[in-house]
Amino acid sequence: MTKSTGAPDSAAGGGNLLQPWRRIAQQLCPLIGESGFCALFGRTTHVVAPEHGWLAPQQPCRSPEQLFASLEERLASVDAARAAAANEALLRTFTQLLSALIGEKLTQRLLASATATAEPAPGQQTNVQEQK
């Protein structure tokens, strides 16, 4: 971890692990608001706390960007394998909680949209649902 600049060590998992979260926030915030996203993430953190207690935020989230900065810092404070395992637990739990709130089908569509926006190669179609 780089302490002099305050930037997390990407080898420890901070930066790359946040990409899915940023895409998910882009899809969900227009629907549930920033406070709704933060509340859902807070509940997610609470659920995974017994296994990954070091992920618990020091203060309540006020915006997704604040949440991401804090999460990046916490993920960068541990080794890459531990950071990846914790992030996977967060993503899995977040998806389960979202699915319980809005239903599995809608969750799948929203998360598919979030992951599709970054994955296709240039020139590929990103919205298969619009074709139907």
Side-chain angles (χ1 to χ4, degrees):
M1 177 167 39
T2 307
K3 292 186 181 183
S4 61
T5 63
D9 180 5
S10 59
N16 290 335
L17 295 177
L18 291 181
Q19 290 175 353
W21 289 112
R22 291 185 191 285
R23 291 190 303 262
I24 291 169
Q26 281 182 317
Q27 293 294 316
L28 288 181
C29 285
L31 301 172
I32 64 174
E34 289 185 350
S35 60
F37 182 85
C38 288
L40 186 57
F41 188 87
R43 177 66 183 146
T44 300
T45 304
H46 179 75
V47 171
V48 301
E51 192 175 328
H52 306 283
W54 53 271
L55 280 172
Q58 303 304 324
Q59 56 185 335
C61 165
R62 304 236 186 275
S63 72
E65 283 308 313
Q66 178 191 21
L67 181 147
F68 298 145
S70 176
L71 179 60
E72 185 173 29
E73 184 178 297
R74 287 176 284 153
L75 290 173
S77 70
V78 298
D79 64 87
R82 192 171 171 197
N87 194 56
E88 176 62 32
L90 285 171
L91 286 166
R92 183 179 54 252
T93 303
F94 186 91
T95 302
Q96 290 168 346
L97 291 172
L98 182 62
S99 184
L101 290 171
I102 66 172
E104 189 174 334
K105 297 277 188 195
L106 184 53
T107 298
Q108 288 174 350
R109 287 181 62 196
L110 287 170
L111 295 181
S113 295
T115 56
T117 57
E119 291 177 6
Q124 281 188 330
Q125 191 170 354
T126 59
N127 247 337
V128 178
Q129 292 293 332
E130 291 180 359
Q131 294 274 318
K132 293 184 178 180

